[in-house]
Amino acid sequence: ELQQKVEETELLKMELQMLETERVRLSLVEEKLMDVLQLLQQLRDLNISKRALGKILLSTLESCRDPQPGKAHLFEVLDTLHHELTACELLQSQPLETAQSHQSLSNPLVISC
């Protein structure tokens, strides 16, 4: 009976560790998603054309078509999109303070279509 309790305890520890690992992974995805949404908001405030935004998105999807082994595909796509958005010439030419001051006061992450 004691051996069974020890095994159950070890199993629970492993499950807890897996849950913690998943929580950290989701936290990283959430942070990257928030960064991407803020960049999209800034680009919207700078009146980026739908064509330019579409090109960025298609470039991201094309470069992430074949997932890299050992890397979560969702995080890879978000990371690539973040990189593509930060490389956008419109953001490069705009001072950071000006781009951030245009954000909506109610919820800067809501993007209207």
Side-chain angles (χ1 to χ4, degrees):
E1 187 175 314
L2 184 59
Q3 179 64 27
Q4 184 181 5
K5 293 288 185 187
V6 169
E7 289 173 3
E8 288 176 8
T9 303
E10 289 300 317
L11 184 62
L12 288 173
K13 283 181 183 179
M14 285 177 30
E15 287 180 18
L16 183 61
Q17 186 176 8
M18 289 187 322
L19 284 173
E20 181 63 21
T21 301
E22 184 66 11
R23 187 193 66 77
V24 169
R25 187 188 72 79
L26 288 174
S27 179
L28 291 172
V29 168
E30 181 184 30
E31 284 178 31
K32 188 60 73 171
L33 183 58
M34 294 297 281
D35 291 344
V36 165
L37 289 174
Q38 287 175 343
L39 288 169
L40 286 170
Q41 178 70 42
Q42 289 175 7
L43 287 171
R44 186 189 79 166
D45 292 344
L46 295 172
N47 295 320
I48 189 171
S49 72
K50 291 178 183 178
R51 177 179 221 125
L53 193 56
K55 285 181 181 181
I56 292 171
L57 183 57
L58 288 175
S59 172
T60 297
L61 294 175
E62 181 64 29
S63 65
C64 295
R65 186 172 28 170
D66 300 319
Q68 296 178 359
K71 190 170 184 181
H73 189 64
L74 173 64
F75 192 77
E76 180 184 354
V77 172
L78 282 174
D79 195 40
T80 304
L81 181 57
H82 182 266
H83 177 72
E84 294 278 339
L85 290 171
T86 55
C88 180
E89 291 178 16
L90 193 57
L91 279 178
Q92 298 296 325
S93 64
Q94 185 72 13
L96 187 60
E97 311 84 48
T98 307
Q100 287 178 340
S101 68
H102 285 104
Q103 290 183 352
S104 163
L105 295 176
S106 59
N107 187 349
L109 300 178
V110 174
I111 298 173
S112 62
C113 296

